[in-house]
Amino acid sequence: MKRWFTVTMAAAIAAALAPSLSAQWPLRPQPGVPKGPDGKPNLTASTPRTPDGKPDLSGIWMRTERTEAPGSQPAGRPPLATFGNVGAGFKEGLPFQPWVADLLKKRANAFENPDALCLPQGPLEYHLDPQPREIVQTPRRILIVYESNYGLRTIYTDGRRLLPQGEPQPYWHGYSVGRWEGDTLVAESNNFRGALTGQPGDGWLDGRGHPFTDALTLTERFRRVNFGHLEIDVTIDDPKAYTRPFTVRVEQVIVADGSEMIEFVCHENQMFLKLTGRAPG
Protein backbone atom coordinates (compact mmCIF):
# COMPACT_ATOMS: atom_id res chain seq x y z
CA MET A 1 0.00 0.00 0.00
CA LYS A 2 1.38 3.41 -0.94
CA ARG A 3 2.42 5.58 1.97
CA TRP A 4 0.38 8.55 0.70
CA PHE A 5 -2.72 6.44 1.07
CA THR A 6 -1.80 5.43 4.62
CA VAL A 7 -1.24 9.02 5.69
CA THR A 8 -4.32 10.28 3.90
CA MET A 9 -6.44 7.56 5.45
CA ALA A 10 -5.12 8.49 8.90
CA ALA A 11 -6.16 12.08 8.28
CA ALA A 12 -9.54 10.92 7.01
CA ILE A 13 -10.09 8.76 10.10
CA ALA A 14 -9.34 11.73 12.33
CA ALA A 15 -11.71 13.88 10.34
CA ALA A 16 -14.38 11.20 10.45
CA LEU A 17 -14.39 11.42 14.25
CA ALA A 18 -15.68 15.00 14.02
CA PRO A 19 -19.38 14.02 13.86
CA SER A 20 -19.05 12.24 17.21
CA LEU A 21 -17.65 15.45 18.70
CA SER A 22 -20.76 17.29 17.59
CA ALA A 23 -22.61 15.35 20.29
CA GLN A 24 -21.01 17.78 22.75
CA TRP A 25 -23.36 20.42 21.40
CA PRO A 26 -27.07 20.37 22.22
CA LEU A 27 -29.27 19.88 19.20
CA ARG A 28 -31.23 23.02 18.41
CA PRO A 29 -34.03 22.27 15.96
CA GLN A 30 -34.11 24.80 13.14
CA PRO A 31 -37.36 26.56 12.19
CA GLY A 32 -38.74 26.08 8.73
CA VAL A 33 -37.50 22.53 8.13
CA PRO A 34 -40.21 20.79 6.06
CA LYS A 35 -41.42 17.48 7.46
CA GLY A 36 -42.82 14.42 5.75
CA PRO A 37 -45.78 12.33 6.96
CA ASP A 38 -43.37 10.39 9.20
CA GLY A 39 -42.29 13.58 10.94
CA LYS A 40 -38.75 13.40 9.54
CA PRO A 41 -37.16 16.21 7.50
CA ASN A 42 -38.37 16.13 3.92
CA LEU A 43 -35.16 16.65 1.95
CA THR A 44 -36.98 16.64 -1.39
CA ALA A 45 -39.25 19.54 -0.47
CA SER A 46 -39.03 22.71 -2.54
CA THR A 47 -35.96 24.93 -2.48
CA PRO A 48 -36.17 27.72 0.12
CA ARG A 49 -35.82 31.25 -1.21
CA THR A 50 -34.67 34.63 0.06
CA PRO A 51 -37.02 37.65 0.10
CA ASP A 52 -35.70 38.69 -3.34
CA GLY A 53 -36.65 35.30 -4.80
CA LYS A 54 -33.17 33.82 -5.09
CA PRO A 55 -32.52 30.26 -3.89
CA ASP A 56 -31.32 30.37 -0.29
CA LEU A 57 -28.10 28.36 -0.03
CA SER A 58 -27.87 28.89 3.73
CA GLY A 59 -27.40 25.92 6.01
CA ILE A 60 -24.91 23.36 7.26
CA TRP A 61 -23.88 20.95 4.54
CA MET A 62 -22.08 17.61 4.43
CA ARG A 63 -20.62 15.96 1.36
CA THR A 64 -22.53 12.93 0.18
CA GLU A 65 -20.86 9.52 0.18
CA ARG A 66 -22.20 8.60 -3.25
CA THR A 67 -19.66 7.29 -5.73
CA GLU A 68 -19.82 6.13 -9.32
CA ALA A 69 -17.64 4.17 -11.70
CA PRO A 70 -15.37 6.21 -13.99
CA GLY A 71 -17.22 7.34 -17.07
CA SER A 72 -20.63 6.16 -15.84
CA GLN A 73 -22.18 9.60 -15.28
CA PRO A 74 -25.18 10.53 -17.45
CA ALA A 75 -24.49 12.31 -20.71
CA GLY A 76 -23.97 16.03 -20.20
CA ARG A 77 -23.24 15.77 -16.47
CA PRO A 78 -19.73 16.16 -15.02
CA PRO A 79 -18.21 13.16 -13.21
CA LEU A 80 -18.23 13.09 -9.42
CA ALA A 81 -15.05 14.15 -7.64
CA THR A 82 -13.75 12.50 -4.46
CA PHE A 83 -11.75 13.95 -1.58
CA GLY A 84 -8.79 11.71 -2.41
CA ASN A 85 -8.92 12.09 -6.19
CA VAL A 86 -10.77 14.82 -8.06
CA GLY A 87 -10.15 12.91 -11.30
CA ALA A 88 -11.67 9.64 -10.07
CA GLY A 89 -14.57 9.90 -12.52
CA PHE A 90 -12.44 10.27 -15.66
CA LYS A 91 -11.60 7.04 -17.47
CA GLU A 92 -8.66 8.69 -19.20
CA GLY A 93 -7.46 10.58 -16.11
CA LEU A 94 -6.94 14.32 -15.85
CA PRO A 95 -5.35 16.28 -18.73
CA PHE A 96 -1.97 16.94 -17.10
CA GLN A 97 0.81 19.07 -18.41
CA PRO A 98 3.94 16.84 -18.66
CA TRP A 99 5.57 18.10 -15.46
CA VAL A 100 2.62 17.12 -13.24
CA ALA A 101 3.42 13.38 -13.30
CA ASP A 102 6.80 13.98 -11.63
CA LEU A 103 5.22 16.23 -9.02
CA LEU A 104 2.63 13.58 -8.12
CA LYS A 105 5.46 11.08 -7.51
CA LYS A 106 7.06 13.53 -5.08
CA ARG A 107 3.74 14.00 -3.31
CA ALA A 108 3.02 10.28 -3.04
CA ASN A 109 3.62 10.16 0.74
CA ALA A 110 1.17 13.07 1.34
CA PHE A 111 3.50 14.61 3.95
CA GLU A 112 3.07 18.05 2.39
CA ASN A 113 -0.72 17.92 2.19
CA PRO A 114 -1.95 21.27 3.55
CA ASP A 115 -4.49 19.48 5.73
CA ALA A 116 -1.71 17.49 7.40
CA LEU A 117 0.25 20.70 7.96
CA CYS A 118 -2.73 22.55 9.47
CA LEU A 119 -2.81 24.93 6.51
CA PRO A 120 -5.91 25.99 4.57
CA GLN A 121 -6.94 23.30 2.12
CA GLY A 122 -7.32 23.72 -1.62
CA PRO A 123 -10.74 24.67 -3.03
CA LEU A 124 -11.88 21.15 -3.90
CA GLU A 125 -10.44 19.68 -0.71
CA TYR A 126 -12.66 22.03 1.26
CA HIS A 127 -15.73 21.17 -0.83
CA LEU A 128 -15.11 17.44 -0.33
CA ASP A 129 -13.78 17.26 3.21
CA PRO A 130 -15.81 14.87 5.41
CA GLN A 131 -16.31 17.64 7.98
CA PRO A 132 -19.24 20.02 7.54
CA ARG A 133 -19.35 23.55 6.21
CA GLU A 134 -21.91 26.31 6.78
CA ILE A 135 -23.14 28.70 4.10
CA VAL A 136 -24.33 32.12 5.26
CA GLN A 137 -26.10 34.05 2.50
CA THR A 138 -26.58 37.81 2.60
CA PRO A 139 -27.61 40.20 -0.20
CA ARG A 140 -24.05 41.43 -0.85
CA ARG A 141 -21.86 38.46 0.01
CA ILE A 142 -21.95 34.76 0.75
CA LEU A 143 -19.77 33.33 3.49
CA ILE A 144 -18.69 29.69 3.66
CA VAL A 145 -17.37 28.59 7.04
CA TYR A 146 -15.49 25.29 6.94
CA GLU A 147 -15.22 23.30 10.13
CA SER A 148 -12.03 21.72 8.81
CA ASN A 149 -9.07 23.92 9.78
CA TYR A 150 -11.61 26.62 10.61
CA GLY A 151 -11.60 28.08 7.11
CA LEU A 152 -13.58 31.15 6.11
CA ARG A 153 -14.31 32.11 2.51
CA THR A 154 -16.10 35.15 1.09
CA ILE A 155 -17.90 35.26 -2.27
CA TYR A 156 -18.80 38.87 -3.11
CA THR A 157 -22.20 39.25 -4.80
CA ASP A 158 -22.31 43.06 -4.81
CA GLY A 159 -21.65 43.47 -8.53
CA ARG A 160 -17.87 43.85 -8.40
CA ARG A 161 -15.80 42.30 -11.19
CA LEU A 162 -13.20 39.59 -10.90
CA LEU A 163 -9.87 41.40 -10.59
CA PRO A 164 -6.95 40.43 -12.84
CA GLN A 165 -4.42 37.91 -11.59
CA GLY A 166 -1.82 39.67 -9.44
CA GLU A 167 -3.88 42.79 -8.74
CA PRO A 168 -5.39 42.01 -5.31
CA GLN A 169 -3.47 40.54 -2.41
CA PRO A 170 -3.58 36.74 -2.87
CA TYR A 171 -6.11 34.90 -0.70
CA TRP A 172 -5.81 31.38 0.65
CA HIS A 173 -9.31 30.72 -0.70
CA GLY A 174 -8.93 32.90 -3.77
CA TYR A 175 -10.57 36.20 -4.57
CA SER A 176 -14.20 35.29 -5.38
CA VAL A 177 -17.07 37.16 -7.02
CA GLY A 178 -20.51 35.72 -7.66
CA ARG A 179 -23.55 36.42 -9.80
CA TRP A 180 -26.91 34.75 -10.26
CA GLU A 181 -27.83 33.12 -13.56
CA GLY A 182 -31.45 32.20 -12.94
CA ASP A 183 -31.41 29.87 -9.92
CA THR A 184 -27.68 29.12 -10.22
CA LEU A 185 -25.00 31.01 -8.29
CA VAL A 186 -21.93 31.33 -10.50
CA ALA A 187 -18.76 32.07 -8.51
CA GLU A 188 -15.46 32.89 -10.19
CA SER A 189 -12.18 32.92 -8.28
CA ASN A 190 -8.51 33.63 -8.90
CA ASN A 191 -5.49 35.04 -7.04
CA PHE A 192 -5.05 31.95 -4.84
CA ARG A 193 -2.33 32.32 -2.25
CA GLY A 194 -2.10 28.58 -1.81
CA ALA A 195 -0.75 28.08 -5.34
CA LEU A 196 2.62 26.59 -6.28
CA THR A 197 5.34 28.83 -4.86
CA GLY A 198 7.73 26.14 -3.64
CA GLN A 199 6.34 26.09 -0.11
CA PRO A 200 5.03 22.92 1.60
CA GLY A 201 1.31 22.43 1.16
CA ASP A 202 0.97 24.78 -1.80
CA GLY A 203 -1.39 24.00 -4.64
CA TRP A 204 -3.18 20.78 -3.63
CA LEU A 205 -6.59 20.24 -5.23
CA ASP A 206 -7.17 16.92 -3.43
CA GLY A 207 -5.59 14.42 -1.06
CA ARG A 208 -3.54 12.88 -3.87
CA GLY A 209 -1.82 16.16 -4.64
CA HIS A 210 -3.24 17.06 -8.05
CA PRO A 211 -1.92 20.60 -8.36
CA PHE A 212 -3.15 24.07 -9.10
CA THR A 213 -0.92 27.04 -9.88
CA ASP A 214 -1.11 30.82 -9.84
CA ALA A 215 -2.77 30.60 -13.26
CA LEU A 216 -5.92 29.01 -11.82
CA THR A 217 -9.33 30.46 -12.53
CA LEU A 218 -11.96 28.49 -10.64
CA THR A 219 -15.61 28.61 -11.70
CA GLU A 220 -18.27 27.09 -9.43
CA ARG A 221 -21.95 26.71 -10.22
CA PHE A 222 -24.04 26.22 -7.04
CA ARG A 223 -27.56 24.81 -7.42
CA ARG A 224 -29.83 23.99 -4.49
CA VAL A 225 -32.00 21.53 -6.36
CA ASN A 226 -34.45 21.06 -3.46
CA PHE A 227 -34.51 21.59 0.28
CA GLY A 228 -31.89 19.01 1.13
CA HIS A 229 -29.48 18.74 -1.79
CA LEU A 230 -26.80 21.01 -3.20
CA GLU A 231 -24.94 20.42 -6.46
CA ILE A 232 -21.70 22.27 -7.20
CA ASP A 233 -20.11 21.96 -10.62
CA VAL A 234 -16.48 23.06 -10.39
CA THR A 235 -14.42 23.98 -13.45
CA ILE A 236 -10.63 24.04 -13.14
CA ASP A 237 -9.01 26.28 -15.76
CA ASP A 238 -5.27 26.24 -15.10
CA PRO A 239 -3.18 26.18 -18.29
CA LYS A 240 0.08 25.87 -16.37
CA ALA A 241 -0.99 22.52 -14.87
CA TYR A 242 -3.56 21.12 -17.34
CA THR A 243 -3.82 21.03 -21.12
CA ARG A 244 -7.49 22.01 -21.04
CA PRO A 245 -10.14 23.01 -18.49
CA PHE A 246 -12.13 20.21 -16.85
CA THR A 247 -15.28 20.11 -14.73
CA VAL A 248 -16.29 17.87 -11.83
CA ARG A 249 -19.38 17.68 -9.67
CA VAL A 250 -19.60 17.89 -5.88
CA GLU A 251 -22.77 16.75 -4.10
CA GLN A 252 -23.71 17.91 -0.61
CA VAL A 253 -26.67 17.22 1.66
CA ILE A 254 -28.21 19.50 4.31
CA VAL A 255 -27.78 18.80 8.03
CA ALA A 256 -31.39 19.08 9.18
CA ASP A 257 -31.33 17.57 12.66
CA GLY A 258 -30.29 20.77 14.47
CA SER A 259 -26.59 19.88 14.77
CA GLU A 260 -24.23 22.83 14.90
CA MET A 261 -20.68 23.38 13.77
CA ILE A 262 -17.90 22.87 16.29
CA GLU A 263 -14.64 24.76 16.65
CA PHE A 264 -11.72 23.03 14.97
CA VAL A 265 -8.26 24.53 15.59
CA CYS A 266 -5.77 22.21 13.94
CA HIS A 267 -2.64 23.68 15.57
CA GLU A 268 -4.10 23.13 19.03
CA ASN A 269 -2.62 19.63 19.10
CA GLN A 270 -0.58 19.35 15.90
CA MET A 271 1.50 16.16 16.15
CA PHE A 272 1.92 15.32 12.46
CA LEU A 273 5.34 16.94 11.98
CA LYS A 274 6.65 15.26 15.13
CA LEU A 275 5.27 11.87 14.14
CA THR A 276 6.91 12.12 10.72
CA GLY A 277 10.26 13.22 12.13
CA ARG A 278 10.15 16.73 10.72
CA ALA A 279 9.48 18.84 13.80
CA PRO A 280 12.12 21.56 14.42
CA GLY A 281 14.64 20.92 17.13
Side-chain angles (χ1 to χ4, degrees):
M1 181 180 291
K2 293 182 178 179
R3 294 182 69 192
W4 76 263
F5 182 76
T6 303
V7 175
T8 305
M9 284 302 297
I13 291 171
L17 294 177
S20 65
L21 296 178
S22 66
Q24 298 174 11
W25 291 89
L27 293 179
R28 186 175 179 83
Q30 298 299 307
V33 176
K35 302 293 179 63
D38 59 0
K40 296 180 180 180
N42 179 10
L43 300 188
T44 61
S46 60
T47 302
R49 294 183 179 269
T50 59
D52 63 359
K54 301 298 184 186
D56 190 351
L57 307 181
S58 300
I60 297 177
W61 299 90
M62 296 287 291
R63 72 173 191 195
T64 69
E65 299 299 327
R66 194 174 76 83
T67 60
E68 59 188 13
S72 65
Q73 74 275 7
R77 203 214 72 193
L80 289 179
T82 69
F83 181 67
N85 182 4
V86 299
F90 293 89
K91 281 185 175 181
E92 69 282 6
L94 294 179
F96 300 138
Q97 293 287 0
W99 63 269
V100 172
D102 288 336
L103 177 68
L104 291 177
K105 292 177 183 177
K106 295 176 182 178
R107 290 179 166 182
N109 58 25
F111 282 176
E112 307 302 343
N113 188 311
D115 194 22
L117 297 174
C118 290
L119 293 171
Q121 296 173 325
L124 274 164
E125 278 196 293
Y126 267 128
H127 275 324
L128 292 161
D129 193 280
Q131 298 179 73
R133 71 279 299 145
E134 182 169 11
I135 298 178
V136 181
Q137 184 169 330
T138 75
R140 298 179 63 82
R141 68 188 61 190
I142 292 174
L143 305 177
I144 307 181
V145 184
Y146 302 97
E147 185 172 289
S148 177
N149 291 346
Y150 220 47
L152 174 63
R153 179 183 174 198
T154 302
I155 301 173
Y156 296 101
T157 55
D158 56 4
R160 68 182 70 186
R161 64 185 178 89
L162 186 66
L163 297 176
Q165 179 67 31
E167 185 170 318
Q169 171 182 315
Y171 288 65
W172 280 108
H173 307 298
Y175 184 85
S176 301
V177 301
R179 67 183 185 277
W180 289 96
E181 293 184 356
D183 286 347
T184 299
L185 174 70
V186 180
E188 296 179 289
S189 307
N190 61 8
N191 286 283
F192 287 88
R193 177 181 174 183
L196 290 173
T197 59
Q199 300 298 314
D202 282 353
W204 288 58
L205 279 178
D206 57 19
R208 184 165 291 185
H210 290 127
F212 64 91
T213 75
D214 59 2
L216 171 64
T217 297
L218 185 81
T219 302
E220 300 151 292
R221 302 180 70 87
F222 294 78
R223 291 184 296 272
R224 188 168 185 174
V225 296
N226 51 34
F227 177 81
H229 298 93
L230 184 66
E231 295 176 348
I232 311 170
D233 288 347
V234 184
T235 299
I236 303 294
D237 186 356
D238 188 340
K240 287 187 179 180
Y242 303 95
T243 59
R244 58 176 173 79
F246 65 92
T247 302
V248 295
R249 174 161 292 186
V250 174
E251 294 181 341
Q252 296 180 359
V253 63
I254 197 74
V255 177
D257 65 354
S259 296
E260 296 179 317
M261 300 266 282
I262 66 169
E263 187 178 64
F264 181 111
V265 182
C266 184
H267 271 296
E268 185 176 20
N269 188 27
Q270 213 308 49
M271 300 293 292
F272 186 72
L273 292 178
K274 181 177 180 180
L275 292 172
T276 55
R278 297 177 300 144

